[in-house]
Amino acid sequence: MDTASTGAHDAVRTARRALATEAVHAGRDDLARQGLHAPPIDLSTTYPSYDSRGEAARIDAFAATGADPDGPPVYGRLGNPTVARFETALARLEGTEAAVAFASGMAALSAVLLVRASMGLRHVVAVRPLYGCSDHLLTAGLLGSEVTWTDPAGIAEALRPETGLVIVESPANPTLAEVDLRAVAHACGSVPLLVDNTFATPVLQRPAEQGARLVLHSATKYLGGHGDVLAGVVACDEEFAGRLRQVRFATGGVLHPLAGYLLLRGLSTLPVRVRAASASAAELAHRLAADPRVARVHYPRIGGAMVSFEIHGDPHEVIAGVRLITPAVSLGSVDTLIQHPASISHRIVDADDRRGAGVSDRLLRMSVGLEDVDDLWSDLDQALSCRGAGNRANDHNAPAPAGTLPLRR
Ligand SMILES: *Cc1c(COP(=O)(O)O)cnc(C)c1O
C-alpha cells in the first residue's frame, strides 16, 4: 500500500465521526487492510513468546500503569484482542479515552469499588433508586464500602475526605427518574462521579461530556441488545482504566472473547435499535397515560425504550396475562420484556428503602423492543383487562388517570 493512501486512511480514522458511523466502524478500523470483513475471534488463553525478556518488560509495564501491553498479548486475563475491539468501540461511542470490559455489569461495578477501596477511599455517596443489585452491593457493604444515600441536592454535603465515589443512575432503574448530570458532577468536586448509563445508552446521553469520570453499562442490556450475552463495561480516562485492568487481572472478572464479539456486533445496530424502540416506547407511554386502568406513567424526558407504569389493579395479573410480551427480568433486547420490580429486579432491596425511592408495589417496568407498536398495545390492552389487573377500571371512585410527565410524541 502506498504512503499516500495510508495517510488518507489515517485522516479518515482520526476525523470526528458521527455516532451512527462510529457504531459500525469503531474497533474495526484495521480490518479492511488485513483483508477481513468480520472481526476475528481470538479464543487464546495464552500467547507463545520466545522472548521472555520482552514479555517480562510487558508484564512490568502492566503492573506499573495497567496500560494495555504493547506487542503481543501475554495471557487472557491481562487482555484479549477481540474484547479490546469492543472496548475501543464503546469508548468512542461514550467519548472517553478508554473502556474496560467485565464479565457482567456487577463485575464492572465491583471493580470500580475495589479500585477506590485499594486507595483507602471506601466511602460511597449514592442516589436512589439504583438497579436492585447495585443497591444491595452498597447497602450490604459486601466489598467493604460504606454508603451514604442522599438525593442529588444532598451530594455536596454528604462528601467526606474518604469519599471515593459518587454513584447515580439516570434514567434510573426502575422508576426512570432523571438527575441533572451536570449539576451532580459539579457537586462532586474532585470525587469521581460514576453514572450508570445502561438505560440511556450513548445514543441518548453521553455522561462523560457532562462531567462524569466513569460511565458504567450493564452491556447485557442495550449494548448486546439480543438477550444472549452477559457483560459489563466502564468507559473512563486512561488512568482509571489502567487501575480497572489491574483489578480485573487480579480478581478475574474478565469478559469472554465470544461475548466481546457479540457486543461489538451489537454496537453496530445500537443507534438504530434504540431509536426505533424509543419511538414505540413513547407511543406506548402516551397510550398508557390516557388509559383509566393506569394510575401513573413514568417516561424520561430524554426518551428511551423503557416505560414504567403503575396500575390500579394487581400487577401480578398483568405479568400472568401477557402473550406477545415476554414476562422476564432484564431489558434492552429486541423483544419486549415486562417485569414487576417489587417482586423481581428490586426484590433484594429492603421494602421500605424501595418504596422510599419511589418504587411502588404497583409499578411495572417494560423494556420496549422492536415489535410493531400496535401489536404491543393489543397485548398490553388485553393483559390490563385480565381479571384483577384492571379491576378498578369500572370503579367510578377511581382516581383520574395521571400521566405525570410531559410525554414526547
Ligand atoms: C442489569 C443492570 C445492572 C447489572 O448488570 P448485570 O450485567 O446484570 O450484572 C447494573 N445497572 C443497571 C442499570 C442494570 O439494569
Side-chain angles (χ1 to χ4, degrees), residues 132-340:
C133 205
S134 305
D135 187 313
H136 170 65
L137 179 62
L138 295 171
T139 303
L142 291 176
L143 293 172
S145 60
E146 182 200 340
V147 63
T148 299
W149 295 104
T150 182
D151 55 16
I155 288 174
E157 209 174 307
L159 299 179
R160 303 181 196 159
E162 72 278 17
T163 305
L165 197 64
V166 175
I167 303 183
V168 303
E169 254 177 51
S170 186
N173 188 349
T175 60
L176 310 180
E178 289 168 280
V179 301
D180 178 342
L181 297 181
R182 230 175 260 286
V184 164
H186 183 74
C188 291
S190 61
V191 177
L193 169 65
L194 181 150
V195 174
D196 187 326
N197 203 31
T198 300
F199 276 32
T201 83
V203 178
L204 299 176
Q205 167 177 282
R206 309 213 307 168
E209 288 173 354
Q210 300 182 56
R213 182 157 182 210
L214 304 159
V215 181
L216 183 139
H217 284 271
S218 168
T220 311
K221 316 293 169 55
Y222 290 101
L223 305 188
H226 296 74
D228 55 6
V229 53
L230 203 60
V233 63
V234 181
C236 56
D237 54 86
E238 179 52 37
E239 191 209 328
F240 207 105
R243 295 179 187 276
L244 286 169
R245 289 187 203 103
Q246 290 172 332
V247 164
R248 183 176 64 178
F249 172 62
T251 60
V254 294
L255 186 68
H256 193 276
L258 279 175
Y261 176 89
L262 289 170
L263 289 166
L264 187 67
R265 189 161 81 161
L267 287 186
S268 59
T269 54
L270 180 71
V272 175
R273 284 186 285 109
V274 168
R275 291 200 182 104
S278 298
S280 297
E283 175 61 26
L284 292 174
H286 197 80
R287 293 188 195 182
L288 286 166
D291 194 293
R293 297 163 295 187
V294 175
R296 188 177 175 197
V297 177
H298 304 250
Y299 189 67
R301 284 173 175 78
I302 65 161
M306 299 297 298
V307 181
S308 294
F309 56 101
E310 294 161 36
I311 63 169
H312 293 298
D314 182 350
H316 298 287
E317 296 298 329
V318 177
I319 298 293
V322 288
R323 292 295 172 262
L324 174 66
I325 297 169
T326 307
V329 73
S330 197
L331 58 118
S333 188
V334 288
D335 58 327
T336 298
L337 309 181
I338 195 166
Q339 63 105 18
H340 180 227

Side-chain angles (χ1 to χ4, degrees), residues 31-54:
L31 292 181
R33 271 166 294 137
Q34 291 195 51
L36 297 173
H37 189 220
I41 303 175
D42 183 346
L43 293 173
S44 302
T45 55
T46 190
Y47 295 85
S49 170
Y50 291 102
D51 175 16
S52 46
R53 286 187 198 87

